[in-house]
Amino acid sequence: MTRPVRVLVADDQALLRGSFRALVDSSEGLTTVGEAADGAETVELARALRPDVILMDVRMPRLDGIEATRRIRADAANAAVRVLILTMFDLDAYVFSALRAGASGFLLKDVPPPDLLAAIRVIAAGEALLAPAVTRRLIEEFARRPEPDRPLTRDLDGVTGREREVLTLIGTGLSNAEIAGHLHLSLATVKTYVGRLLAKLHARDRAQLVIIAYESGLVGRP
């Protein structure tokens, strides 16, 4: 029998933590292993409990979700821990930094429960997930930055023309299915290109490919 996906819920609002916990525990194949009320506690519990997925609020006391994500992902003991950011994006000015810090995905807090549960499973399976609305805001945030630092910029010399096309479309927030339709390719072929890009660019997941597409100039600023 496959073990359930183990989830740590991190949010400074007790009501939200309880709601997320009840939702997760009511879903087959998922279980919560703990709750954290601030970023520092999240870092401690991540190392102690080794969850598969952390539902991470951005704005928390003592340590915000971005710095908590950075510390968790920088710890080799947490190599298998994935972070799914839940945000009210209009209020969160630093979400772009969270992607750099190692978050594997973003969802808005008003996401329908079935979509949240599906997202947890996607993240646990090693994929990245960016809600379309979040991707648009991420793009807007990047476009506003006049002189961003570029820690994730990669050498694209080994990337083929078709792979650059795929990377560009990833940067605009398109899904694999949408890329397949746009380029008139099969879904399997697009997945192959994405896999090659991850390997060639030494990117952890699709979220990093979005950043690389922008920081390498494949997706222009308005």
Side-chain angles (χ1 to χ4, degrees), residues 125-144:
E127 299 297 326
L129 184 145
L130 297 174
V134 175
T135 302
R136 285 194 296 273
R137 294 299 185 99
L138 176 65
I139 291 168
E140 292 167 5
E141 170 66 14
F142 186 87
R144 284 195 297 268

Side-chain angles (χ1 to χ4, degrees), residues 46-47 50-52 71-83 102 104 204:
R47 188 171 182 87
R50 307 286 175 81
D52 299 305
R71 294 187 187 186
I72 289 166
R73 294 299 302 163
D75 187 342
N78 295 324
V81 177
R82 314 280 288 182
V83 177
S104 293
R204 182 187 62 253

Side-chain angles (χ1 to χ4, degrees), residues 15-27:
L15 182 60
L16 278 178
R17 289 200 309 274
S19 297
F20 288 140
R21 181 164 201 153
L23 177 64
V24 169
D25 287 342
S26 68
S27 181

Side-chain angles (χ1 to χ4, degrees), residues 95-209:
V95 177
F96 188 84
S97 298
L99 269 180
R100 284 178 170 154
S104 293
F106 288 89
L107 286 178
L108 301 181
K109 279 190 174 179
D110 61 359
V111 63
D115 291 349
L116 175 58
L117 296 173
I120 292 171
R121 292 186 172 94
V122 167
I123 294 297
E127 299 297 326
L129 184 145
L130 297 174
V134 175
T135 302
R136 285 194 296 273
R137 294 299 185 99
L138 176 65
I139 291 168
E140 292 167 5
E141 170 66 14
F142 186 87
R144 284 195 297 268
R145 295 177 176 226
E147 295 293 338
D149 53 359
R150 298 176 178 269
L152 285 178
T153 300
R154 302 286 195 262
D155 183 353
L156 300 183
D157 287 347
V159 176
T160 68
R162 180 62 91 179
E163 288 165 353
R164 286 175 183 247
E165 287 183 275
V166 172
L167 180 59
T168 301
L169 294 175
I170 289 173
T172 64
L174 296 191
S175 67
N176 284 353
E178 291 168 332
I179 293 171
H182 186 85
L183 296 179
H184 306 291
L185 300 171
S186 71
L187 183 57
T189 298
V190 172
K191 288 181 178 178
T192 297
Y193 280 127
V194 173
R196 289 176 183 170
L197 286 167
L198 290 169
K200 287 183 177 182
L201 300 176
H202 307 289
R204 182 187 62 253
D205 53 33
R206 193 184 192 91
Q208 285 199 337
L209 290 180

